[in-house]
Amino acid sequence: MAGNEMHRLQTHDLEIGATEAVQRHYSRHVVATKPVSQRKLDFEHSRPRWLRECMAEATGVFYYVFPGIAAITSFTLNLENEAGVAAFGSLFQIGWAFAIGIAFAIITCAPTSGGHFNPAITICFAIWQGFPWKKVPHYIFSQIFGAFVAGLLLVGMYWPEIQAFKAESIAAGKGLVYNGGPASILCTFPNPNQTNLGYLFLTEFFVDSFIGLIIWANLDPANPFVSPTSAPFAIGLAYATMVWGFADIAISTNLARDLGTRIVAAIFFGGESFTYLNYSWIAILVNIPATIFATGYYEFLMRDSLGKIAKGHAVHEHGEEGLRRHITNTGHIETGAANALRSKQSGSDEYNLGKQA
């Protein structure tokens, strides 16, 4: 087999012919094909772009939040069940519920909106990647709305069990808002002995920075270790890892996920959902500076923009001439980028020589 063909196999490139064959097989055996009507094309063209993006963000956050809080609810409501906790879940199950929910959210909705699903990520895209600032408020509102709907639906589906749990909690003199209480099925509350807000702040800041850095690395097109098909699951596993490690000491990880469900908690369990131990501002706001810190760390210390250009995912602001001038001025470039650029330059030179001949 020729070297070029071996390279294509090793880099998982799919030849055009094979792609077409797979698509034909899919159409023939999986989906009944029919012509696309002009009416359908006109309808899709008439949909406002901003509405599609907002609905995709709201739907994605719903897909991410709903499985997670459903797992929390199943676990919390059955802590005292005679069948035992193991029959209804654990922190391990909760972590997986959030992880798979995140993966499903990205797979389902990211093609439409870009798959932010987190106000902090939207803000970071605006800061570092040129995402339009005018879209930021729309995205953030949609994300919070998606979490709010997830919380409402969960309360409706578990209403009889929640009512019984509320009665038991009130009868025991515990109230409704505490870690492990009725309100905690929707949003995070610290343990009664966690009165040091500085400690809670640092824990939240670290967890959110950890997740933010992994998200940014997965979204880097120059990263050779992550493919578009694996990124949703890698990002989900980053979240699950933090749930497994820190959920027992109160973490939130996402402004939209916490604020949307905390509003629902306030509706059904009282305003103490926002005032309990003065914690809610940490759960809601710390995610933003932590994620900005993490993505800034990646941008300033780890980003390889030259590699990104070499792989065709970006261009120099002054075009090819600007890129050549940069390489000439710096005198050296990273090995990976160098090889890619040399191959590109070699192909260009051969093309030019052929034209001259």
Side-chain angles (χ1 to χ4, degrees), residues 108-159:
T108 305
C109 302
T112 301
S113 67
H116 299 188
F117 311 140
N118 184 336
I121 293 297
T122 298
I123 291 170
C124 288
F125 270 119
I127 293 173
W128 307 116
Q129 300 294 330
F131 184 75
W133 280 101
K134 66 180 181 180
K135 289 187 176 183
V136 170
H138 303 153
Y139 268 57
I140 293 177
F141 174 82
S142 302
Q143 292 154 2
I144 296 171
F145 179 74
F148 176 78
V149 173
L152 279 180
L153 183 61
L154 181 89
V155 171
M157 295 174 74
Y158 271 97
W159 184 248

Side-chain angles (χ1 to χ4, degrees), residues 28 45 105 128 217 232 242 305 333:
R28 186 169 61 250
H45 178 72
W128 307 116
M242 293 295 97
S305 294
I333 54 177

Side-chain angles (χ1 to χ4, degrees), residues 39 48 63 78-79 81 92 102 110 122 125 152 154 171 187-188 201 247 295 309 318 322 349:
R39 178 181 296 180
Y63 266 46
N78 293 283
L79 282 174
N81 194 289
F92 187 68
I102 289 170
T122 298
F125 270 119
L152 279 180
L154 181 89
C187 54
T188 305
F201 177 93
T295 55
I309 293 173
H318 300 302
D349 291 345

Side-chain angles (χ1 to χ4, degrees), residues 326-333:
H326 166 76
I327 295 173
T328 302
N329 293 339
T330 56
H332 70 282
I333 54 177

Side-chain angles (χ1 to χ4, degrees), residues 61 117-119 140 143-144 147-148 254-261:
V61 173
F117 311 140
N118 184 336
I140 293 177
Q143 292 154 2
I144 296 171
F148 176 78
N254 187 325
L255 184 160
R257 172 259 184 276
D258 189 89
L259 180 57
T261 55

Side-chain angles (χ1 to χ4, degrees), residues 306-307 310-311 327 333-347:
L306 198 59
K311 293 186 177 183
I327 295 173
I333 54 177
E334 297 292 337
T335 303
N339 292 337
L341 287 168
R342 286 194 191 101
S343 299
K344 183 178 179 181
Q345 185 63 42
S346 174

Side-chain angles (χ1 to χ4, degrees), residues 10-311:
Q10 292 168 358
T11 55
H12 306 291
D13 283 347
L14 195 62
E15 296 289 348
I16 297 299
T19 304
E20 293 174 347
V22 170
Q23 290 172 343
R24 290 196 189 103
H25 173 81
Y26 176 79
S27 299
R28 186 169 61 250
H29 297 287
V30 182
V31 178
T33 60
K34 67 175 184 178
V36 178
S37 68
Q38 185 61 46
R39 178 181 296 180
K40 183 174 180 61
L41 290 175
D42 292 340
F43 167 75
E44 293 177 358
H45 178 72
S46 67
R47 294 175 301 182
R49 178 67 188 176
W50 67 268
L51 181 61
R52 295 180 61 218
E53 292 171 342
C54 288
M55 292 308 299
E57 283 295 300
T59 304
V61 173
F62 177 91
Y63 266 46
Y64 142 51
V65 172
F66 187 74
I69 60 176
I72 292 172
T73 304
S74 176
F75 174 67
T76 303
L77 293 179
N78 293 283
L79 282 174
E80 307 299 329
N81 194 289
E82 294 180 0
V85 174
F88 295 97
S90 63
L91 284 180
F92 187 68
Q93 175 183 306
I94 292 168
W96 275 112
F98 276 114
I100 296 173
I102 289 170
F104 288 166
I106 295 172
I107 292 168
T108 305
C109 302
T112 301
S113 67
H116 299 188
F117 311 140
N118 184 336
I121 293 297
T122 298
I123 291 170
C124 288
F125 270 119
I127 293 173
W128 307 116
Q129 300 294 330
F131 184 75
W133 280 101
K134 66 180 181 180
K135 289 187 176 183
V136 170
H138 303 153
Y139 268 57
I140 293 177
F141 174 82
S142 302
Q143 292 154 2
I144 296 171
F145 179 74
F148 176 78
V149 173
L152 279 180
L153 183 61
L154 181 89
V155 171
M157 295 174 74
Y158 271 97
W159 184 248
E161 293 81 4
I162 291 173
Q163 288 296 92
F165 186 32
K166 284 174 63 177
E168 293 174 7
S169 185
I170 292 172
K174 295 180 179 178
L176 300 177
V177 179
Y178 59 93
N179 191 17
S184 70
I185 65 176
L186 292 167
C187 54
T188 305
F189 299 100
N191 296 317
N193 62 345
Q194 291 181 287
T195 56
N196 188 329
L197 294 181
Y199 170 79
L200 291 168
F201 177 93
L202 289 176
T203 301
E204 185 70 37
F205 193 92
F206 169 79
V207 167
D208 296 348
S209 297
F210 182 95
I211 296 172
L213 188 60
I214 292 176
I215 290 173
W216 222 238
N218 274 270
L219 298 178
D220 185 354
N223 188 340
F225 299 103
V226 182
S227 68
T229 53
S230 64
F233 300 97
I235 293 171
L237 281 173
Y239 191 99
T241 302
M242 293 295 97
V243 170
W244 296 329
F246 297 96
D248 61 326
I249 55 173
I251 56 172
S252 166
T253 71
N254 187 325
L255 184 160
R257 172 259 184 276
D258 189 89
L259 180 57
T261 55
R262 196 173 293 273
I263 293 171
V264 178
I267 292 172
F268 290 99
F269 305 114
E272 192 182 359
S273 299
F274 279 94
T275 60
Y276 183 77
L277 296 180
N278 296 317
Y279 169 73
S280 63
W281 70 270
I282 293 176
I284 295 170
L285 297 178
V286 171
N287 179 241
I288 294 176
T291 307
I292 292 174
F293 167 78
T295 55
Y297 180 93
Y298 192 90
E299 290 291 335
F300 286 115
L301 300 178
M302 301 174 67
R303 172 75 72 184
D304 179 13
S305 294
L306 198 59
K308 189 176 176 181
I309 293 173
K311 293 186 177 183

